[in-house]
Amino acid sequence: MRPFQYTRPDSLTHASQLSGDDGAMLIAGATNLVDLMKLQVETPDHLVDVNPLGMAEIEDTDDGGLRIGALATNTATANHARVRSDYPVLARAILAGATQQLRNRATMGGNLCQRTRCYYFTKPEQPCNKREPGSGCGAIDGIARLHAVLGTSDQCIATYPGDMAVALSALGATVQIASADGGERSVSVRDFHLLPGDTPWRDNVLQPGEVIIAVMLPPPVEGRQSYRKVRERSSYAFALVSVAAIVAMEGDTIARADLAFGGLAHKPWHDPRLSDLLTGKAPSAALFDEAADLLLQEARGYGENDFKIPLARRTLAAVLAEATETEI
Ligand code: SF4
């Protein structure tokens, strides 16, 4: 590991100012960044440790939603009484990720900012446009089993690896962000992560000096919530495909269908056309097929990950069938 400066700022403003400098990076739970530093994938000159800043409260909001501080651990969030009762899709998604030890350290903000687990990204001797712009993408003609089938570019086909943000996307959460000039902004979690395009080194919309301060959940809605994660083994593995769903029925028709997908793209994938298609219709195998057609219209496999396209279709159908109690 290379030498670096380490600072524990005593205010949010100080943290923002320090982290805006070239070569500076924020650190919270240290469950991803330290691994990447050991591999020489990340080589910050200055680590700004935000742990002294508090920001770990989980509290009700005036509109009936929930504010989860950026430094609330994944364990604290998944175990929180209101998360378990009103936002079970979030609790389930968090508990489907990593291990208990990692969840005890990992934070809301850090989880959102975790980096891809692409094999080439973590090997400095391999080509990777995300790690070293212009060096090429080893995965496109190489090891691509975990890689994306939606929203890819000829620069990068990596997936966003997390589970928690997939549930947050289905819930329509927003991310509260502070900047170095003392201002704040809110970004929908659906817009927080970026597609690779021509700038695959950018994972999300954060600018230098910006610090995530909280995640805001809207008031809870009616409906069954579920998170289904398909992976190579039953624990400590990233999603091949995952589906977060909030589905409500009114009589024999679907009254609400908020869906988001993991394992398919460089960001949690949310396609508002699915909700439009499903809402107001009677659930059936044919309707679920139509939804999968829409979801996967632009899907493209890269050899090793071709299987994800039919897997996403089947996983979506299974989730919708369970939520609507429909035989398929
Ligand atoms: Fe790098 Fe993205 Fe290609 Fe992986 S898929 S090698 S992260 S550019």
Side-chain angles (χ1 to χ4, degrees):
M1 212 185 280
R2 293 195 335 184
F4 56 88
Q5 190 184 344
Y6 172 79
T7 307
R8 287 168 67 85
D10 54 11
S11 73
L12 185 56
T13 310
H14 192 204
S16 293
Q17 286 164 348
L18 292 174
S19 67
D21 292 342
D22 274 356
M25 293 185 79
L26 295 170
I27 190 162
T31 57
N32 188 206
L33 178 55
V34 170
D35 287 349
L36 295 175
M37 288 172 67
K38 288 178 185 169
L39 293 166
Q40 302 290 314
V41 172
E42 298 280 17
T43 52
D45 299 321
H46 189 176
L47 277 189
V48 180
D49 183 345
V50 290
N51 283 294
L53 302 182
M55 302 199 301
E57 304 80 11
I58 302 177
E59 50 203 357
D60 296 344
T61 57
D62 291 343
D63 67 356
L66 202 62
R67 182 184 192 278
I68 306 174
L71 292 177
T73 64
N74 284 180
T75 297
T77 304
N79 289 341
H80 190 272
R82 275 209 62 206
V83 173
R84 289 165 61 110
S85 64
D86 294 342
Y87 309 98
V89 64
L90 177 58
R92 286 178 195 149
I94 290 173
L95 294 175
T99 64
Q100 185 65 58
Q101 290 91 339
L102 287 166
R103 293 191 295 268
N104 289 345
R105 288 293 310 162
T107 63
M108 294 299 285
N111 192 323
L112 285 172
C113 294
Q114 66 178 298
R115 308 216 65 192
T116 187
R117 274 24 180 225
C118 171
Y119 165 82
Y120 300 91
F121 177 68
T122 56
K123 302 278 184 297
E125 68 280 8
Q126 297 287 345
C128 172
N129 288 322
K130 184 181 282 294
R131 178 176 29 75
E132 193 179 330
S135 64
C137 171
I140 284 179
D141 293 315
I143 300 167
R145 186 169 170 77
L146 279 177
H147 288 66
V149 294
L150 288 170
T152 55
S153 76
D154 59 5
Q155 299 273 307
C156 178
I157 60 169
T159 46
Y160 169 77
D163 296 290
M164 183 192 82
V166 181
L168 293 176
S169 178
L171 288 164
T174 56
V175 185
Q176 260 191 325
I177 299 167
S179 55
D181 63 7
E184 276 186 23
R185 64 176 177 135
S186 287
V187 177
S188 165
V189 90
R190 294 171 185 166
D191 301 324
F192 179 79
H193 296 97
L194 299 170
L195 290 177
D198 292 333
T199 54
W201 50 91
R202 286 197 70 201
D203 290 345
N204 57 55
V205 299
L206 287 178
Q207 298 291 334
E210 288 193 320
V211 182
I212 297 175
I213 51 178
V215 171
M216 310 293 290
L217 301 184
V221 294
E222 294 292 320
R224 280 191 179 191
Q225 299 187 18
S226 61
Y227 186 72
R228 186 175 291 219
K229 178 175 179 177
V230 182
R231 47 186 158 173
E232 304 278 14
R233 59 184 182 210
S234 58
S235 91
Y236 202 24
F238 296 100
L240 296 169
V241 172
S242 69
V243 182
I246 302 153
V247 179
M249 295 292 290
E250 210 169 85
D252 292 336
T253 59
I254 298 170
R256 167 184 287 275
D258 296 329
L259 301 162
F261 301 83
L264 297 180
H266 197 258
K267 60 184 288 182
W269 193 260
H270 174 260
D271 185 339
R273 297 177 305 167
L274 295 186
S275 179
D276 294 343
L277 173 78
L278 293 164
T279 305
K281 307 250 175 65
S284 68
L287 180 66
F288 304 160
D289 245 359
E290 215 183 316
D293 286 344
L294 197 57
L295 170 72
L296 299 164
Q297 216 169 28
E298 311 280 334
R300 173 188 169 191
Y302 291 83
E304 283 195 352
N305 69 346
D306 289 349
F307 74 96
K308 282 193 175 186
I309 297 172
L311 182 61
R313 172 177 292 278
R314 291 197 302 274
T315 310
L316 173 59
V319 166
L320 290 173
E322 185 180 67
T324 58
E325 297 181 0
T326 304
E327 294 275 336
I328 54 171

